[in-house]
Amino acid sequence: MLAGRIYRSPYAHGEIVAVDVSEAAKLPGVKAIVTGADCDRTFGVLPIARSEHPLARDKVRYRGEPVAAVAAVDDATARQAISLIKLTVRELPAISPPRPRSRPTRDAAHAQAAQIERDVLFELGSVEQAFAEAALRARGHLQLR
């Protein structure tokens, strides 16, 4: 059995320049290291998410985004390998959730749009048609006790 660990981005938003795993790969007991560059096939459970990659490629969009995965003979080795990975990014503007009642500036809105991974409208048919074709309809309020 191997132990796995994930290297996560310490940056909120940035263009990935390099993910250097060379020192981590030399560590005795490390069996494999995978980065986003190794993951060119997409996946996704929902139709709107079939363009996902398991690890960041080209950009990191949030602090904590998975960047690399390590498999090692034990957890201590996997942790040590993670600490040896070097991520180089060109930092980009990052948007935190705005404070209540604040209005983002034009620059902030532009930066936020650049940080969005996908914007999808997902519809599963017509609500009106579903009600028209339903065998049973109910109106009222649900009360929980």
Side-chain angles (χ1 to χ4, degrees):
M1 181 170 69
L2 298 174
R5 285 283 166 176
I6 303 291
Y7 176 86
R8 296 181 179 278
S9 172
Y11 302 97
H13 191 205
E15 179 184 331
I16 296 174
V17 175
V19 181
D20 183 357
V21 299
S22 59
E23 291 302 312
K26 292 178 193 175
L27 192 63
V30 170
K31 299 298 183 182
I33 301 176
V34 180
T35 69
D38 300 310
C39 304
D40 56 352
R41 293 185 62 190
T42 59
F43 74 99
V45 177
L46 299 174
I48 62 168
R50 291 197 177 124
S51 61
E52 293 182 25
H53 289 94
L55 300 169
R57 296 168 50 91
D58 304 321
K59 282 175 105 177
V60 290
R61 290 179 176 81
Y62 59 91
R63 185 171 282 114
E65 183 172 7
V67 174
V70 172
V73 294
D74 57 33
D75 189 56
T77 304
R79 282 179 190 267
Q80 187 177 0
I82 290 294
S83 73
L84 296 172
I85 294 174
K86 294 179 181 74
L87 174 64
T88 305
V89 302
R90 184 176 65 81
E91 286 193 71
L92 298 170
I95 300 297
S96 299
R99 290 185 211 127
R101 300 185 189 270
S102 70
R103 301 186 80 193
T105 64
R106 173 179 275 192
D107 290 339
H110 175 72
Q112 186 170 12
Q115 209 169 339
I116 294 172
E117 197 270 332
R118 88 172 54 86
D119 185 11
V120 176
L121 172 62
F122 187 63
E123 295 180 0
L124 292 170
S126 165
V127 172
E128 291 80 15
Q129 183 180 353
F131 274 117
E133 295 174 358
L136 177 65
R137 292 183 297 250
R139 292 183 184 261
H141 299 282
L142 177 64
Q143 294 182 353
L144 300 176
R145 296 180 192 214

